[in-house]
Amino acid sequence: TSAMLLALFVYPFGRTVSAPVVLEPARQLALRAAAPGFVAGVALNPNALQPAGEVLVRLRNPEIVAHREKAQGELERLRSSAARAQAAGDVAAYQSSLREMDSAAKDLAEWQRQESLLEVRAPFDGHILTARLQDLKGQYVKPGDLLCDFGMLQTMRARIRVSEFLLRDVAENREVRLKLNSFPGDTFVGSVTARRMASDDSYNAAGRTAELVRSAVVLGTKAEPNAFSHFEVLAEVPNREGRLRPGMS
């Protein structure tokens, strides 16, 4: 479904100009697998606020675990060997064991690092934006595969496509008012934070490239009726109560 909203730019002397927008979290990340494996588990309550460090997706890779266990066993064996050599006064054997221990410790650290990648954690306090995260369970993923979108909903970003004609009049810090079909009686107020060239890609309400094409037309101007827009205005809207969500219309 379209995630179009209506943004009103407020100008001096009561003049307003409206344009369709897409709503998304101001801070968001696409979380991807950093190691191969099967998805063994996901967050128990994916709709709740996920504190920083919380495990969102857990992967299973028996090969990585086996390598880590083998490396750990080898390091413990070398420590015992070094202790025996030291007790026996065999300096050469003791020094040889120390060198091997150093190499084994580095090997273990690497496998521990790879094993840690099997747990994908929340990078900051935020919400999982991907619906039906549980559908990932049992799937095999490779490094780089998308697991979920993650974002902080306390502040939302409105991405508003406008023409060059309107861009000249939309200054930073100018007030923006959002009207949503989800809350027809309410107006959400924010302010312009940036202006930039618009790209020709497509994206969904969570900010990833997919489905919703950015082909909005500027509305409410007599100077350029039906003019296609080629610039993008970014506005931030406070969302402390969490009422605004990506994909709302």
Side-chain angles (χ1 to χ4, degrees):
T1 58
S2 173
M4 291 296 185
L5 315 172
L6 185 66
L8 300 176
F9 295 104
V10 181
Y11 291 85
F13 312 113
R15 186 168 70 91
T16 63
V17 173
S18 62
V21 307
V22 168
L23 196 63
E24 65 186 21
R27 185 182 183 188
Q28 59 182 333
L29 286 174
L31 301 183
R32 300 180 181 275
F38 290 91
V39 177
V42 299
L44 294 177
N45 190 355
N47 295 322
L49 176 68
Q50 308 294 325
E54 185 78 4
V55 176
L56 306 180
V57 179
R58 181 177 287 102
L59 305 180
R60 179 176 58 85
N61 188 318
E63 184 178 357
I64 289 178
V65 174
H67 277 294
R68 190 268 302 159
E69 290 175 346
K70 181 180 178 181
Q72 192 166 355
E74 177 64 10
L75 182 58
E76 292 172 357
R77 184 189 69 79
L78 290 170
R79 284 173 177 163
S80 297
S81 178
R84 289 195 300 271
Q86 186 179 33
D90 189 338
V91 177
Y94 176 67
Q95 291 179 340
S96 176
S97 293
L98 289 182
R99 288 191 295 271
E100 291 183 89
M101 282 173 56
D102 183 62
S103 177
K106 292 177 181 178
D107 189 45
L108 174 60
E110 172 57 23
W111 287 114
Q112 287 175 329
R113 183 191 70 81
Q114 292 196 36
E115 188 176 22
S116 71
L117 298 178
L118 298 177
E119 291 186 336
V120 179
R121 298 176 179 272
F124 46 81
D125 293 350
H127 287 80
I128 296 168
L129 306 177
T130 302
R132 299 189 61 81
L133 186 66
Q134 66 272 20
D135 289 351
L136 281 177
K137 292 181 69 173
Q139 293 188 27
Y140 180 80
V141 297
K142 306 181 300 298
D145 284 353
L146 179 69
L147 298 174
C148 67
D149 291 311
F150 190 80
M152 183 180 292
L153 301 182
Q154 285 89 337
T155 302
M156 302 297 287
R157 178 191 296 124
R159 302 174 68 153
I160 310 162
R161 200 115 187 238
V162 300
S163 67
E164 184 177 6
F165 174 77
L166 288 179
L167 190 72
R168 294 193 297 265
D169 295 330
V170 181
E172 289 191 19
N173 299 317
R174 184 175 296 282
E175 182 178 291
V176 175
R177 298 174 184 173
L178 298 185
K179 300 291 291 185
L180 292 79
N181 292 331
S182 304
F183 302 107
D186 296 333
T187 299
F188 298 87
V189 180
S191 58
V192 173
T193 57
R195 305 178 304 168
R196 66 188 185 190
M197 289 289 295
S199 60
D200 294 325
D201 65 347
S202 61
Y203 64 97
N204 64 10
R208 280 192 299 111
T209 317
E211 299 177 1
L212 183 58
V213 179
R214 291 195 288 188
S215 58
V217 175
V218 175
L219 306 175
T221 98
K222 295 181 179 179
E224 293 186 288
N226 300 323
F228 286 94
S229 48
H230 303 286
F231 296 87
E232 195 169 57
V233 174
L234 304 182
E236 291 193 356
V237 182
N239 187 35
R240 297 180 185 89
E241 296 179 0
R243 298 175 70 197
L244 300 178
R245 294 279 177 159
M248 279 186 169
S249 61

